[in-house]
Amino acid sequence: MNNDSKDFFKLNITINRDSTFNLRLVLLRSLNREAKDSYSLVLVAKDGGNPPKTGTQKIIINVTDANDNAPEFTQKIYNVTIKENTAPMETILTVSASDKDLNENAKVSYRISEYNLNKDRLGDTFVMISETGELKVKSDFTALAGQVVRFFIEAYDHGVNPLYSQAEVVVNIEDDSNNAPKVTISFITAGNKGFVDIPENSMNNSFVAYVDVVDSDKGDDGVVDCSVSNSHFSIVKISKGFKVVVNSILDREVLSTYNLTVTCSDKGTPVLSESASFLLHVTDIN
């Protein structure tokens, strides 16, 4: 036997009572087909003559495959950035894994891991094609715009007792639309539609109207500030929206009706704005 074969195989010889021999080739340590898949040995028999006669027998040992290797992804973490309006069933990522085994033990398929904490939501959002490793989207991402979604995927082989490995997918969802704010004016007095009455002796900071602003965008696209068209009034940020308040002395005899316009603008690029107007009637005080 050559040197590398001697590390793995040994010939055990026992002599029978009738002077025949029992020969057993014994495995000394575990084999690794992925490192070496065959061994070539030469068995030499020598008699006791002078000079001795010899005979040889070549032995080829082929190492068959065992499913002792899990698939390995080409990356441990896959980062992908997509738009919030990515079309359903569009492929956003294709992953790949290889297995050092053979045949069914080396055939690799892919899936989203069952061990994800948010697996139900993931099932409604993404689908993985098991045969190709393609990750596709199933639904619109508008509600997730500006967010980052993280989850685990798995590559598994087709052995009798399948082995698998995991990788992490990080999906960055870009806010692809900058929508103008939606502005609604409302008043304390029930039934007022587009107007409000304010006594002429109203003090500074007296309440005039509520300004409700809705902007569903993320980041600066959803940051809104508002202004009012007349310097006799100002606009103040409150916990929910804004309010218009009196900012200086009102005199009905000078001006009895104000046409006020509230304009709300976001901080996106480009800046988008929306306005709403109402009439303010200054009521008389004797």
Side-chain angles (χ1 to χ4, degrees):
M1 291 186 287
N2 54 28
N3 288 334
D4 64 339
S5 298
K6 289 179 180 179
D7 293 336
F8 291 94
F9 303 99
K10 176 183 177 182
L11 189 64
N12 280 352
I13 304 172
T14 58
I15 303 175
N16 298 318
R17 294 175 65 86
D18 61 0
S19 297
T20 59
F21 297 87
N22 286 332
L23 305 180
R24 290 182 175 87
L25 191 62
V26 179
L27 181 65
L28 297 177
R29 51 193 269 196
S30 298
L31 301 174
N32 184 357
R33 186 202 61 79
E34 288 73 36
K36 187 174 178 64
D37 61 1
S38 68
Y39 293 85
S40 178
L41 293 72
V42 177
L43 178 63
V44 179
K46 181 170 61 174
D47 64 19
N50 188 12
K53 301 292 186 180
T54 61
T56 61
Q57 175 65 53
K58 188 174 182 179
I59 302 173
I60 303 296
I61 300 174
N62 295 312
V63 183
T64 59
D65 185 51
N67 191 22
D68 56 353
N69 291 281
E72 295 182 0
F73 281 101
T74 56
Q75 299 174 217
K76 294 298 183 183
I77 300 177
Y78 292 88
N79 273 285
V80 60
T81 299
I82 64 174
K83 302 293 186 182
E84 65 171 290
N85 57 356
T86 300
M89 297 312 295
E90 181 175 333
T91 298
I92 62 171
L93 174 68
T94 300
V95 301
S96 178
S98 60
D99 194 308
K100 295 178 181 178
D101 294 320
L102 291 177
N103 303 322
E104 290 298 294
N105 294 338
K107 184 179 179 181
V108 179
S109 293
Y110 306 89
R111 64 194 175 202
I112 295 175
S113 176
E114 287 292 315
Y115 297 104
N116 288 294
L117 295 177
N118 55 345
K119 64 180 181 179
D120 292 335
R121 192 182 78 172
L122 288 172
D124 295 332
T125 309
F126 301 99
V127 61
M128 174 153 273
I129 308 303
S130 62
E131 296 84 0
T132 63
E134 292 176 275
L135 184 67
K136 296 177 178 288
V137 301
K138 292 179 68 175
S139 59
D140 184 274
F141 285 95
T142 303
L144 298 175
Q147 297 186 31
V148 177
V149 179
R150 297 175 179 267
F151 57 95
F152 294 101
I153 58 173
E154 294 175 350
Y156 61 95
D157 62 33
H158 287 242
V160 176
N161 296 305
L163 300 177
Y164 71 91
S165 62
Q166 291 185 331
E168 185 179 11
V169 175
V170 181
V171 181
N172 303 279
I173 304 169
E174 286 188 342
D175 188 347
D176 195 43
S177 60
N178 182 14
N179 301 294
K182 303 299 181 184
V183 181
T184 304
I185 306 293
S186 58
F187 311 101
I188 290 179
T189 304
N192 281 17
K193 299 295 183 182
F195 73 94
V196 63
D197 295 329
I198 297 293
E200 64 178 327
N201 65 345
S202 296
M203 304 294 291
N204 282 358
N205 296 318
S206 296
F207 175 83
V208 174
Y210 286 113
V211 180
D212 183 45
V213 185
V214 177
D215 194 322
S216 59
D217 294 326
K218 304 297 181 181
D220 286 345
D221 291 351
V223 177
V224 178
D225 201 5
C226 298
S227 62
V228 64
S229 59
N230 192 294
S231 61
H232 281 79
F233 305 90
S234 61
I235 196 159
V236 178
K237 175 72 174 172
I238 56 177
S239 59
K240 292 185 178 181
F242 299 83
K243 65 178 179 178
V244 179
V245 297
V246 175
N247 192 45
S248 63
I249 296 173
L250 304 177
D251 188 342
R252 191 193 65 81
E253 284 71 30
V254 173
L255 184 63
S256 62
T257 300
Y258 291 86
N259 189 348
L260 300 179
T261 298
V262 174
T263 301
C264 294
S265 305
D266 63 24
K267 296 185 182 298
T269 303
V271 173
L272 296 181
S273 303
E274 183 173 281
S275 298
S277 299
F278 66 97
L279 294 177
L280 183 145
H281 302 304
V282 182
T283 60
D284 185 46
I285 295 295
N286 186 15

